[in-house]
Amino acid sequence: MPNTTTKASGKWHIGVIGGSGLYEPGALEDAQEIRVASAFGAPSGPITTGHIGGVRFSFIARHGAGHALAPSEVNYRANIDALKRCGVTDVVAISAIGSLAEEMAPGDFVVVDQLIDRTLGRARSFFGDGIVAHVPLADPVCPRLSQFAGEAAGKAGAKVHAGGTYVAIEGPQFSTRAESHMYRQWGGQVIGMTAMPEARLAREAELPYALVGMVTDYDCWRESDADVDVAEILTVMRANADKARALIAALAEALPATRSASPIDTVLDTAIVSARENLAGLGAARLDAVAGRLLQGLPNRDT
Ligand SMILES: CSC[C@H]1O[C@H](OP(=O)(O)O)[C@H](O)[C@@H]1O
Ligand SMILES: Nc1ncnc2[nH]cnc12
């Protein structure tokens, strides 16, 4: 189902990336499961696409069916590229997160607004191979989409924190106690293993990105609390999965009828520094979705 929406249509098409414990999106009208090939390798799995009200949603489970992919094994580029190929206009990611802040308690939802990247060696850019792009990332999430996602989380019955700095660690091990204390000193409020490079790549693909984290634990900094373990995370996530699906449904209602342009839609206009003639070169072939807007009309030297 390539490119069923263009941003020019004024219609929302929300890509949802479901994290730990959220492997399917809930009821979508006329739901279809599709396999989308990406030039960047295999996405985590099929995409389920359908409508809620007038809004199209396309859902991918980040860790794949049966949670087969570790955070370092997720092909973040393929997932974002595949969503873009479906015609997604905006991406909402839903994640399990640990809390580094007393007031963000297990069960609460946090609409993340800043990220600290401690991941190592993950493919973090679509560009290279002759095409150099430097997108701005000062504010790595879209404030407009985050606002709607936060409203939707509230309507779904969650206690919502508007804003929070997420520390993305490589994992798969949880943090040491010293690291956990250090991240708190850095100003980290929540912690996870997947928001980077996902947010970077969404920005490069000109997709506004929002991240709603569901707090599952207090990591290992809090003396009165047991140290985080997976069983604890999955118990809280299972209890919250219905709320996450309700959030998706509420988002369809929270969005205005028409999608107006976002500055993120055209961020590549001023980010690509390589000579324009290089855009038709070798590296451009696989950028047909991510940077297709800029490549249209250029001769393709690969064919
Ligand atoms: C299953 S526990 C740790 C795992 O959960 C979070 O995943 P996601 O962000 O996809 O919900 C965390 O980042 C770790 O990958
Ligand atoms: N404490 C934690 N550290 C890293 N990722 C997590 N995901 C959920 N809880 C986490």
Side-chain angles (χ1 to χ4, degrees):
M1 190 203 59
N3 252 320
T4 53
T5 318
T6 64
K7 293 192 181 185
S9 73
K11 289 193 176 147
W12 298 92
H13 179 168
I14 307 294
V16 178
I17 301 178
S20 297
L22 189 64
Y23 306 106
E24 43 95 11
L28 298 181
E29 297 146 30
D30 55 296
Q32 249 187 299
E33 197 176 274
I34 54 171
R35 295 211 168 254
V36 181
S38 163
F40 291 89
S44 296
I47 291 177
T48 306
T49 188
H51 289 87
I52 301 177
V55 180
R56 180 177 280 280
F57 286 84
S58 289
F59 175 93
I60 188 164
R62 184 187 280 127
H63 299 279
H67 204 120
L69 298 168
S72 321
E73 294 170 329
V74 171
N75 188 336
Y76 297 93
R77 290 196 302 184
N79 288 353
I80 295 291
D81 184 51
L83 289 173
K84 179 104 192 194
R85 279 174 199 282
C86 289
V88 154
T89 57
D90 301 78
V91 173
V92 176
I94 302 178
S95 276
I97 50 173
S99 171
L100 300 172
E102 188 71 44
E103 68 279 12
M104 295 178 178
D108 294 358
F109 283 35
V110 180
V111 185
V112 167
D113 66 346
Q114 275 299 335
L115 293 161
I116 295 174
D117 193 356
R118 289 263 300 161
T119 65
L120 302 161
R122 300 182 184 181
R124 54 156 58 182
S125 177
F126 289 110
F127 294 94
D129 296 329
I131 304 180
V132 180
H134 301 285
V135 296
L137 205 62
D139 293 304
V141 303
C142 168
R144 176 175 74 174
L145 189 62
S146 297
Q147 169 84 32
F148 294 136
E151 270 173 38
K155 285 204 181 114
K159 177 173 177 192
V160 182
H161 301 266
T165 297
Y166 174 120
V167 181
I169 61 169
E170 181 62 35
Q173 302 84 3
F174 294 111
S175 306
T176 66
R177 209 177 308 286
E179 286 167 339
S180 196
H181 286 297
M182 179 180 74
Y183 298 146
R184 277 166 50 77
Q185 281 172 10
W186 285 1
Q189 289 159 299
V190 297
I191 185 164
M193 303 179 190
T194 59
M196 288 296 206
E198 200 169 80
R200 295 179 186 282
L201 295 163
R203 178 60 53 87
E204 285 192 346
E206 300 187 324
L207 293 173
Y209 177 89
L211 172 55
V212 181
M214 303 195 273
V215 179
T216 50
D217 56 270
Y218 273 115
D219 202 46
C220 59
W221 59 272
R222 199 165 176 256
E223 274 168 27
S224 58
D225 232 62
D227 299 338
V228 57
D229 67 18
V230 166
E232 178 190 14
I233 291 178
L234 292 181
T235 303
V236 179
M237 279 306 291
R238 277 189 204 109
N240 270 331
D242 283 343
K243 247 183 224 166
R245 283 186 276 270
L247 182 165
I248 298 172
L251 183 58
E253 282 180 29
L255 294 172
T258 303
R259 181 187 186 280
S260 57
S262 156
I264 298 165
D265 298 344
T266 49
V267 79
L268 289 176
D269 281 352
T270 51
I272 297 179
V273 286
S274 302
R276 188 173 159 76
E277 54 269 27
N278 288 354
L279 297 183
L282 196 61
R286 58 184 190 165
L287 293 174
D288 59 328
V290 162
R293 200 176 60 74
L294 296 166
L295 298 176
Q296 269 168 22
L298 286 170
N300 190 346
R301 291 207 305 253
D302 303 335
T303 55

